[in-house]
Amino acid sequence: MGERKRISANKAKEAKKTTYFARLSNCPTSPRKMRLVADQIREKNVDKALFLLKLSPKEASGRLHKLLLSAIANWQGKNEGKRLEDSNLYVKEIFVDSGRQLKRIQAAPQGRAHRLKKRSNHVTLILGSRNMEMMVEEPASQAPVKETKPVKTEKVKKEKTVKAEKPAKEVKAEKKVKSEKKPKEKTE
């Protein structure tokens, strides 16, 4: 292995030490049905997410509940001695990818057959700690701010003023006055 690959592999290992995740592979549920439940717990605190999954009537919620418990156990394994309540964990990312499709046949009328696609999915759940993110943001706010050059703005075109329209009665009255003033020409 080359030097660059070794360095990038070591960086990836270090990043994985601070990432708390769990994966569910080849789950025999349609990805579309699983995404409905996954969207409910995205960016939620762990306690609230567990509560939502426990009370949800969908079949996929049972599988995600078990997956979330596994991710919490992974966090506890990497952070021995820290309390779960103090860490303020939340579901940082959750995404559902399509898995393999089993192709089956269902009998149809007049000797025909329809194809069925029995879909499966892969779910990845990543936990984050709101306390850690606050600690990371504080040093960034103390960094010196660079001065930037003012940006030229486009000139605003002047809008033409529109004359106020006269009421219909006044317009008719003016037409009558003008027609009365014109002398009628005699035709011979």
Side-chain angles (χ1 to χ4, degrees):
M1 187 183 324
E3 186 66 24
R4 280 188 306 163
K5 283 188 177 181
R6 188 177 305 112
I7 291 170
S8 63
N10 288 336
K11 284 182 183 178
K13 281 182 187 177
E14 291 298 320
K16 267 194 170 181
K17 287 181 183 178
T18 58
T19 305
Y20 318 107
F21 66 95
R23 282 200 186 101
L24 175 63
S25 297
N26 295 320
C27 177
T29 308
S30 169
R32 185 175 179 183
K33 292 176 184 175
M34 186 66 84
R35 281 187 195 108
L36 288 173
V37 181
D39 291 340
Q40 290 178 345
I41 64 168
R42 188 173 285 123
E43 297 293 323
K44 297 269 193 287
N45 285 338
V46 171
D47 297 332
K48 189 173 183 178
L50 286 170
F51 181 73
L52 287 171
L53 291 173
K54 192 171 186 178
L55 295 179
S56 177
K58 298 193 179 287
E59 180 199 356
S61 65
R63 299 174 196 272
L64 281 182
H65 186 268
K66 201 169 181 181
L67 183 69
L68 184 55
L69 290 174
S70 174
I72 293 169
N74 291 342
W75 180 87
Q76 288 173 339
K78 290 181 180 180
N79 295 302
E80 292 179 15
K82 290 186 181 178
R83 291 187 54 204
L84 183 65
E85 294 82 21
D86 296 337
S87 65
N88 203 2
L89 287 179
Y90 73 105
V91 180
K92 186 175 182 179
E93 287 181 51
I94 181 169
F95 47 92
V96 181
D97 298 323
S98 181
R100 67 171 177 242
Q101 296 177 4
L102 300 175
K103 295 179 172 99
R104 300 290 181 255
I105 293 175
Q106 182 180 21
Q110 299 180 356
R112 290 182 298 214
H114 294 306
R115 288 298 285 266
L116 289 179
K117 292 180 182 176
K118 294 196 168 191
R119 299 174 189 270
S120 64
N121 62 59
H122 309 304
V123 184
T124 305
L125 191 144
I126 300 172
L127 296 180
S129 176
R130 294 195 198 275
N131 295 343
M132 294 299 289
E133 288 176 3
M134 288 179 179
M135 292 171 67
V136 171
E137 289 176 9
E138 286 176 7
S141 64
Q142 296 172 358
V145 178
K146 293 183 180 179
E147 293 183 25
T148 57
K149 295 180 181 178
V151 180
K152 294 181 181 179
T153 57
E154 295 180 19
K155 294 181 181 178
V156 179
K157 295 181 181 178
K158 294 181 181 178
E159 296 180 16
K160 295 181 181 178
T161 55
V162 180
K163 294 181 181 178
E165 294 182 16
K166 297 179 181 178
K169 291 181 182 178
E170 290 180 17
V171 174
K172 287 181 183 178
E174 286 180 9
K175 286 184 181 178
K176 281 184 181 179
V177 172
K178 286 182 182 178
S179 63
E180 291 174 3
K181 290 181 181 177
K182 289 183 184 178
K184 293 183 181 179
E185 296 179 13
K186 292 180 183 177
T187 54
E188 292 179 28

